[in-house]
């Protein structure tokens, strides 16, 4: 297995976990989605939109767009250290937009070559005062996956605290076992 194959597999897992998270929150009402918690981005909804936003802005950076906002967010400083909601109307809208984003990720990852992994990717940080950072493409691709796992774990913890009994699968081996059936 090549480095590109490993990265594609990690991103396949990330997308699978995202779908599982969205399925798990589907039956929740708006109040539960926005209930405040002392973890994550302070609610299930904000954590999900934060996860979407991170995947969106990093894909844009990988595609050469250093300064990007999630569609629907306004330029300028957002209150506190909060990511915007991307203008999502509701969970169905978030699901639909995430599906489109995942198609873009799939196309990007299919075009990825081993030679590109050491290329520098530039991004202006929204949380560090607009400082321009350079990172290796491989590190950005790994970061998106580790960030997704970290945030997914926070969402699962919030779901547990919200009383959800059937928690979403998030472990790679659960994906592997589901594919073997």
């Amino acid at each position: 297995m090549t480095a590109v194959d490993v990265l594609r597999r990690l991103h396949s897992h990330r997308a699978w976990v995202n779908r599982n998270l969205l399925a798990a929150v589907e039956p929740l009402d708006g109040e539960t989605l926005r209930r405040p918690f002392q973890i994550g981005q302070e609610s299930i909804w904000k954590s999900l939109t934060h996860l979407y936003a991170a995947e969106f802005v990093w894909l844009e950076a990988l595609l050469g767009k250093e300064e990007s906002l999630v569609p629907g967010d306004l330029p300028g400083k957002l209150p506190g250290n909060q990511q915007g909601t991307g203008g999502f109307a509701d969970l169905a809208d978030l699901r639909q937009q995430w599906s489109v984003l995942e198609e873009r990720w799939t196309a990007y990852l299919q075009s990825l070559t081993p030679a590109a992994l050491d290329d520098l990717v530039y991004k202006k940080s929204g949380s560090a005062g607009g400082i321009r950072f350079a990172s290796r493409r491989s590190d950005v691709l790994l970061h998106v996956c580790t960030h997704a796992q970290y945030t997914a774990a926070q969402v699962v913890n919030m779901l547990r605290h919200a009383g959800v009994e059937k928690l979403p699968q998030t472990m790679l081996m659960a994906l592997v076992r589901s594919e073997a059936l």
Side-chain angles (χ1 to χ4, degrees):
M1 185 177 269
T2 68
V4 170
D5 292 333
V6 171
L7 287 165
R8 286 179 183 146
R9 182 62 171 164
L10 288 171
H11 280 272
S12 172
H13 174 250
R14 173 192 53 75
W16 177 79
V17 169
N18 288 347
R19 289 189 301 273
N20 289 349
L21 292 174
L22 288 170
V25 302
E26 186 72 33
L28 301 180
D29 60 31
E31 183 178 323
T32 304
L33 278 174
R34 287 168 176 77
R35 175 180 161 193
F37 291 96
Q38 295 299 312
I39 55 176
Q41 299 296 311
E42 299 176 5
S43 74
I44 295 167
W45 176 254
K46 285 181 181 179
S47 295
L48 289 173
T49 59
H50 170 77
L51 186 54
Y52 171 90
E55 292 177 11
F56 181 90
V57 299
W58 279 113
L59 180 57
E60 292 295 304
L62 288 163
L63 294 170
K65 299 174 188 162
E66 296 179 32
E67 295 183 74
S68 64
L69 290 172
V70 177
D73 280 350
L74 298 173
K77 186 172 172 63
L78 294 169
N81 194 18
Q82 297 291 326
Q83 189 68 291
T85 63
F88 301 111
D90 55 22
L91 189 56
D93 187 32
L94 174 61
R95 178 188 303 278
Q96 192 276 328
Q97 291 301 315
W98 220 329
S99 177
V100 171
L101 178 60
E102 195 51 48
E103 288 174 16
R104 292 181 62 220
W105 268 105
T106 299
Y108 174 81
L109 291 163
Q110 286 305 314
S111 71
L112 189 62
T113 64
L117 295 179
D118 287 325
D119 292 348
L120 291 180
V121 173
Y122 296 93
K123 181 177 181 310
K124 287 193 178 175
S125 174
S127 61
I131 298 171
R132 185 179 191 236
F133 291 98
S135 307
R136 281 191 320 233
R137 185 174 309 276
S138 58
D139 289 331
V140 170
L141 290 163
L142 288 169
H143 168 71
V144 171
C145 291
T146 58
H147 175 270
Q149 272 299 110
Y150 180 80
T151 305
Q154 293 173 328
V155 172
V156 169
N157 199 9
M158 286 184 258
L159 290 169
R160 181 178 289 112
H161 286 290
V164 172
E165 291 182 24
K166 187 171 177 1
L167 297 172
Q169 292 286 334
T170 60
M171 300 301 288
L172 177 63
M173 290 312 295
L175 169 62
V176 170
R177 291 174 182 145
S178 74
E179 293 170 337
L181 299 175

